[in-house]
Amino acid sequence: MATVLYITAHPRKDERSNAMTVGEAFLQAYRSANPEDKIIHLDLFKMDIPQHDGDVLDARDKLRAGIPFDELTPAEQAKMGGIFQIIDQFVAADKYIFVSPIWNFSYPLQLKNYLDAIVLPGRTIKYNADGSRMSFLSDKKAIHIQASGSILSPGSGGKYEAWEMGHRHVKGIMEFLGITSFQGIFVEGTQEFPAQAEEIKEKALHQAREIAKLF
């Protein structure tokens, strides 16, 4: 039995969100193919994820210097404790499904906060004395479902493709953590080509359901 984190970064939960619609289709198909797996939904818009403010940065410096956790300030302990919980949950999972829209060529702030939280030397990566990096997560797999009004996906040839900073950053973070089994599903071009919007959406839904069976 695998543990799957279904990580959504969208304030809308209904059919007005193409990302969430395709994400739910993927999830339903995955459940049908893997009924024994445990799926945990992380709604990033409802989570209180500590931001990397001064307290968190100071706490990271202190812990790196060998100062015990219980000697951090109350604010530092509270925030780093929250980050540790998020990291522990991420590390314990086997698969990750990220769902997000493109807003101004990137993703919502809530997803950035989450990605910042899970990247922590000593917990999800390790730097060796020679500067090389070691990952603890190479046996994991992830997929990113992204919706955008314009065509932006890698290799699509869309006129704004070079400006896309959402999927490529999620992919970069996953690879940095050692997760090289990574895929993308794109619902894109629905505003750029409104006459084809339903066709674009149906194509993405079909792709999601097929990929989910083997994920």
Side-chain angles (χ1 to χ4, degrees):
M1 182 182 75
T3 297
V4 182
L5 297 185
Y6 180 60
I7 306 162
T8 62
H10 204 298
R12 287 177 169 171
K13 316 303 175 192
D14 54 29
E15 68 279 355
R16 291 177 296 171
S17 165
N18 287 331
M20 293 296 292
T21 299
V22 174
E24 285 299 317
F26 183 97
L27 196 62
Q28 290 176 16
Y30 182 87
R31 280 197 178 107
S32 295
N34 305 274
E36 301 301 318
D37 284 4
K38 179 181 180 181
I39 299 174
I40 301 171
H41 183 191
L42 303 183
D43 183 345
L44 301 187
F45 269 79
K46 293 182 178 179
M47 289 177 61
D48 183 16
I49 302 173
Q51 297 186 33
H52 273 54
D53 59 10
D55 289 328
V56 169
L57 295 179
D58 287 347
R60 287 177 56 139
D61 287 345
K62 290 176 182 178
L63 293 172
R64 191 181 302 116
I67 297 174
F69 182 85
D70 59 8
E71 292 185 15
L72 302 180
T73 69
E76 291 168 353
Q77 289 187 34
K79 293 175 183 180
M80 284 307 299
I83 288 174
F84 288 161
Q85 289 180 2
I86 290 170
I87 290 174
D88 289 344
Q89 182 185 55
F90 188 84
V91 171
D94 304 291
K95 303 175 185 180
Y96 315 101
I97 305 166
F98 291 92
V99 181
S100 64
I102 277 286
W103 289 353
N104 299 316
F105 305 106
S106 188
Y107 45 57
L109 171 64
Q110 287 77 4
L111 180 53
K112 181 62 166 63
N113 286 342
Y114 183 81
L115 295 175
D116 284 344
I118 63 174
V119 179
L120 186 64
R123 292 273 182 152
T124 48
I125 55 171
K126 177 184 177 182
Y127 289 106
N128 299 315
D130 63 359
S132 61
R133 187 183 77 253
M134 178 187 302
S135 170
F136 309 128
L137 306 175
S138 57
D139 59 337
K140 316 289 186 179
K141 61 184 349 182
I143 193 162
H144 179 213
I145 298 169
Q146 176 174 282
S148 59
S150 299
I151 295 177
L152 302 172
S153 61
S156 65
K159 58 185 175 181
Y160 301 116
E161 178 187 345
W163 296 3
E164 196 277 331
M165 300 296 173
H167 177 75
R168 72 174 64 187
H169 188 252
V170 177
K171 181 176 185 288
I173 292 295
M174 293 299 103
E175 291 183 350
F176 183 70
L177 295 177
I179 303 171
T180 56
S181 179
F182 181 82
Q183 296 174 271
I185 297 174
F186 305 95
V187 200
E188 56 181 357
T190 51
Q191 292 180 20
E192 193 173 356
F193 304 101
Q196 303 172 32
E198 283 305 311
E199 179 184 349
I200 291 169
K201 185 175 177 179
E202 286 303 317
K203 181 179 178 181
L205 286 167
H206 175 74
Q207 183 185 23
R209 293 179 181 121
E210 291 302 307
I211 293 176
K213 297 174 185 177
L214 303 174
F215 182 65

